Amino acid sequence: MLNRAGLRCLKPSIFKQTKSNLIINNSNILSVSSRLSKNNNINQSFNNGFLQSNSKLNSIISLNNNNNNYYKRFYSNENKTNSNEQVKEEEKTNDNSSNNNEEDYKEPEQSKGNKKVGNWLLFSCGLVGAMIVIGGITRLTESGLSIVDWKPVVGAIPPITQEEWEAEFEKYKQFPEYKRLNMGMTLSEFKEIFFWEYSHRLLGRVIGVAFFFPFVWYLKKGYINRSLAKKLSVVFLMGGAQGALGWYMVKSGLDEKLIQDRGSDIPRVSQYRLAAHLGSAFVIYMALLWFGLGLVRPSALSPAMMQKLKSAMSTLAQQKSSFTIEKMKKYSHQVSGLIFLTAMSGAFVAGLDAGLVYNTFPKMGHQWIPDDIINPKIKPAYKNMFEHDVTVQFQHRVLATITYGSILALSAFAYRGRLALSPKARLATNCLLAVGTAQVALGITTLLTFVPVSLGAAHQTGSLTLLSVAIWLLHELKKLPK
Ligand code: HEM
């Protein structure tokens, strides 16, 4: 039997051609096989392997030839050496064998309920994404401390009359941000910062309503199964906790004692709480995206077809594909984890205003590692990683470089193993590379230009987009047979 080791002794170009020939035209197998053995001195058992696996290849070919558009389109696209006649020949073969177990290969029926629930989850995910972006703008415009109390229900109504506005402004004047930073602020300036914090909180309420009522409705209609219901309940509870966490974060910027404890003269929220708030928002966003995609774009292969493909995988070409897909899945999980980690380190950069020191790139000032990377006043020393702006910025640079390097490596691996991937998985990999490149460029520009609101917000949106593409890639890979 032809095994993976045997395969490795083939030149990549020959392997590639061999694989496409195997899949495209059954009759080519014998000629390919004999050509290989002549050219590459591969032993007889290698040839026998092809012959023995002939029947399995037949099943792959018939799978390809039936409803599995994805494989058909994919392999015929790949086989650039194929002449037009070969393509016509292939289509003829497809027609002949297409009456085989037609039912088995049907794409799974997309139930109306699934589609509705999936679209609602993706819509909720979009709302959470908008919430994250507005949260970023709120922070960048230093508006986050403008509403000094937390009234989840009545707080939905903003001040309307002049008296109400003045009363709200008076409340704000009692807190450290006004006293230390904004002394002399006018009412109309206050209205501007109020607008962003109010919009952020209002959208949070809208999301709660837009999630809860359809959830109950779809549950009643039986569109949501038990397992998904449990998961979505957890997401809903996380959403509620997110509101409380937001207030806990804001409080850290209102409380004089907490500000002094941090040894800071500037009233700003705790970077730990900011990172927790952002991290939890990212987790909610990712969960909604994952569940939504699972319903809107379920596996393109029916379980029966998936099973047949798996059993046909004992052939060499399929073993190689399976190997590539498994590796891709593993690497993509790692890359997604790295993106998340880099984003969390970005939250510390934002929380400490660490984008306002060392505004040079690639070096920090004239050095790769600046002399003041450790602040001796911060004890124990490891706390520099979370509390010293220079260290935090340095970490973000290093993590971003590792993340980008891993995206490049993943793209190279995907390119080498592209035959094993579906067109959608390859598209997702290409998008990951494009968005990753844009995100790094945006990060550098944000740093060099001293974090203007527009670029800071764009950089934060970029991290969300990058994470979304990584999740999409994981989803596309999940659909490929193991
Ligand atoms: C994979 C690459 C990257 C990711 C996922 C990422 C993610 C993030 C995130 C999530 C934030 C927090 C934004 C906020 O809460 O407002 C942030 C902030 C920041 N990042 Fe990145 N980043 C990346 C690369 C870079 C690079 C290469 C640089 C520059 C060397 C950079 C510079 C900054 C700066 C200066 C901030 C602070 C912006 C602010 O104060 O709002 N980032 N990053």
Side-chain angles (χ1 to χ4, degrees):
M1 190 63 149
L2 187 54
N3 57 20
R4 206 181 291 152
L7 195 92
R8 277 200 210 105
C9 40
L10 295 180
K11 276 203 269 168
S13 56
I14 295 177
F15 165 66
K16 187 175 145 189
Q17 203 185 344
T18 306
K19 195 163 125 184
S20 35
N21 282 344
L22 282 172
I23 302 302
I24 296 301
N25 197 334
N26 195 10
S27 64
N28 282 350
I29 293 168
L30 294 174
S31 64
V32 169
S33 165
S34 61
R35 202 169 68 227
L36 283 170
S37 63
K38 259 188 234 152
N39 291 348
N40 297 285
N41 242 349
I42 293 168
N43 62 33
Q44 192 56 44
S45 67
F46 186 105
N47 270 334
N48 291 343
F50 276 128
L51 297 173
Q52 278 167 20
S53 53
N54 210 0
S55 62
K56 284 184 173 160
L57 285 166
N58 266 331
S59 72
I60 297 177
I61 290 156
S62 83
L63 290 173
N64 288 332
N65 291 342
N66 282 312
N67 315 9
N68 190 355
N69 290 336
Y70 132 55
Y71 271 99
K72 194 167 77 182
R73 207 166 358 113
F74 159 49
Y75 279 115
S76 55
N77 280 348
E78 281 303 328
N79 190 32
K80 299 212 170 86
T81 55
N82 240 8
S83 66
N84 280 346
E85 285 84 62
Q86 271 176 308
V87 172
K88 275 185 199 146
E89 189 66 30
E90 181 205 350
E91 279 167 0
K92 242 193 257 165
T93 324
N94 289 352
D95 290 344
N96 292 342
S97 55
S98 64
N99 45 8
N100 248 355
N101 300 333
E102 193 86 9
E103 281 300 306
D104 276 0
Y105 307 131
K106 265 198 179 151
E107 286 203 359
E109 279 252 323
Q110 170 69 296
S111 86
K112 216 168 119 195
N114 271 1
K115 202 157 189 157
K116 279 190 176 167
V117 174
N119 282 335
W120 157 66
L121 289 177
L122 290 183
F123 176 69
S124 306
C125 169
L127 287 180
V128 173
M131 178 91 180
I132 295 175
V133 174
I134 293 182
I137 299 175
T138 304
R139 193 192 59 72
L140 286 156
T141 52
E142 294 178 357
S143 308
L145 300 176
S146 59
I147 303 181
V148 293
D149 43 26
W150 192 43
K151 295 178 187 153
V153 180
V154 290
I157 304 158
I160 295 166
T161 63
Q162 182 68 12
E163 290 80 55
E164 283 169 349
W165 271 114
E166 274 164 12
E168 190 70 38
F169 192 26
E170 272 315 306
K171 277 198 272 173
Y172 173 67
K173 285 181 179 173
Q174 310 309 312
F175 287 87
E177 185 176 74
Y178 176 81
K179 289 182 187 162
R180 297 220 210 131
L181 293 179
N182 290 340
M183 194 67 104
M185 178 182 247
T186 62
L187 181 62
S188 65
E189 283 167 342
F190 172 68
K191 283 182 182 175
E192 271 174 43
I193 60 169
F194 185 94
F195 169 79
W196 285 112
E197 177 64 5
Y198 174 75
S199 309
H200 186 57
R201 294 186 187 200
L202 184 68
L203 187 53
R205 291 179 176 99
V206 170
I207 294 174
V209 172
F211 189 86
F212 181 73
F213 288 105
F215 182 37
V216 174
W217 173 252
Y218 289 138
L219 261 182
K220 267 187 128 186
K221 294 229 15 133
Y223 286 176
I224 298 176
N225 64 32
R226 257 174 153 237
S227 139
L228 185 63
K230 274 189 204 154
K231 290 172 191 159
L232 294 182
S233 304
V234 173
V235 173
F236 182 68
L237 291 178
M238 280 185 76
Q242 178 69 1
L245 190 55
W247 173 239
Y248 180 62
M249 174 186 76
V250 169
K251 252 175 62 180
S252 66
L254 297 173
D255 190 321
E256 185 72 61
K257 190 174 170 309
L258 285 175
I259 298 167
Q260 276 172 11
D261 284 353
R262 289 202 303 276
S264 164
D265 292 335
I266 305 164
R268 62 173 167 225
V269 301
S270 146
Q271 70 276 23
Y272 292 102
R273 297 184 193 185
L274 183 116
H277 187 54
L278 187 69
S280 150
F282 270 41
V283 171
I284 295 172
Y285 175 89
M286 290 189 294
L288 290 172
L289 182 61
W290 182 255
F291 297 142
L293 280 177
L295 293 173
V296 170
R297 294 188 33 73
S299 170
L301 309 174
S302 69
M305 184 173 206
M306 192 74 106
Q307 198 46 51
K308 297 228 166 187
L309 273 170
K310 271 188 205 165
S311 61
M313 263 182 194
S314 51
T315 62
L316 238 206
Q318 293 297 316
Q319 274 177 11
K320 175 77 180 173
S321 297
S322 165
F323 177 75
T324 304
I325 292 165
E326 282 311 300
K327 274 258 151 41
M328 271 295 284
K329 281 182 187 169
K330 193 172 134 204
Y331 294 157
S332 304
H333 273 107
Q334 288 166 353
V335 168
S336 307
L338 276 172
I339 295 171
F340 186 77
L341 200 65
T342 310
M344 288 308 98
S345 92
F348 278 89
V349 178
L352 285 170
D353 284 336
L356 300 178
V357 295
Y358 288 111
N359 299 86
T360 51
F361 192 86
K363 288 187 179 173
M364 293 177 79
H366 296 295
Q367 293 168 303
W368 290 105
I369 303 175
D371 289 336
D372 56 349
I373 191 149
I374 299 291
N375 179 352
K377 285 188 194 149
I378 298 176
K379 295 252 167 20
Y382 78 84
K383 281 197 169 179
N384 278 275
M385 288 165 65
F386 309 105
E387 296 180 7
H388 184 33
D389 49 8
V390 180
T391 322
V392 164
Q393 193 200 104
F394 178 78
Q395 273 167 187
H396 191 55
R397 288 173 184 238
V398 172
L399 274 170
T401 309
I402 295 172
T403 303
Y404 188 56
S406 70
I407 291 175
L408 287 176
L410 181 74
S411 305
F413 183 77
Y415 182 75
R416 276 181 50 203
R418 62 192 177 284
L419 283 175
L421 300 178
S422 65
K424 282 265 163 62
R426 283 186 293 167
L427 179 66
T429 316
N430 292 341
C431 287
L432 190 75
L433 180 61
V435 177
T437 307
Q439 174 66 354
V440 169
L442 255 176
I444 296 168
T445 317
T446 307
L447 182 73
L448 296 181
T449 51
F450 296 83
V451 196
V453 174
S454 54
L455 287 182
H459 185 52
Q460 200 202 39
T461 312
S463 65
L464 205 59
T465 315
L466 189 58
L467 211 55
S468 309
V469 177
I471 292 196
W472 172 38
L473 173 62
L474 285 175
H475 185 76
E476 291 304 331
L477 291 174
K478 193 178 161 227
K479 293 197 283 184
L480 298 179
K482 283 187 193 139

